[in-house]
Amino acid sequence: MRRANITVYNEDCLPAMRRMKDNEFDLAIVDPDYGLGAKISNGGTWAAKYTKKESNLGGCPTEGYFNELFRVSRNQIIWGGNYFNLPPNRHFIAWHKPQMDGMHTMSNVEYAWSSFDENARCVSFNNTGYRRIHITQKPVKLYKWLLANYAKPGNRILDTHLGSGSIAIACWDLGFDLVGYEIDTDYYNAAIDRLRKHQAQLRLEI
């Protein structure tokens, strides 16, 4: 398998996208801020530790953000699409989290809007078994599933809100070039450290 080129920037994605060419990326997989504010603390003590940091982040992305995202990428998968004013779509992706079944303080399903013209799909992965560094952190195996089902060999991937860096690990393992942006310096450093440790571990196993 080819070695992936993972490039991550600690900066605001919007001015960065304005410098990009049309259709520079084949697929954008993004997880923007949902604009929930203090509502994130509804998850109880687990979510409460993130409340101060997350409440300092911006709200929902602007119309300008989505205009640029659609301009620079041929296809898009947008987590939290139910919070945004996006075009009607036939093909949405529902991520089921079995460990949350029966809980009323945390969502057991998350919704992603997509630009693909196919039937809707549902995938089930537990969101456990690793150290969390971000409140909306998603498992690497979920991103691997997305890449396996929606990206083609040689595709360039864009992530405008890198967060915990799960997508970077998935792209590295599957050989997809990725350009990612994370505006928060703490999250950026944590994601870079997580990726480097993963890469080092793989080298030890070879």
Side-chain angles (χ1 to χ4, degrees), residues 9 40 44 46 49 77 110 117 166 180-181 196:
Y9 299 97
I40 63 169
W46 171 82
K49 68 178 181 178
I77 295 173
E110 292 193 31
D117 186 19
S166 292
Y181 293 87
R196 288 175 176 168

Side-chain angles (χ1 to χ4, degrees), residues 51-65:
T51 302
K52 184 176 180 180
K53 171 176 275 293
E54 298 298 329
S55 64
N56 291 330
L57 298 179
C60 290
T62 63
E63 181 180 355
Y65 164 82

Side-chain angles (χ1 to χ4, degrees), residues 146-158:
L146 292 174
L147 291 167
N149 283 276
Y150 298 100
K152 298 178 181 178
N155 278 182
R156 297 186 71 221
I157 311 300
L158 171 67

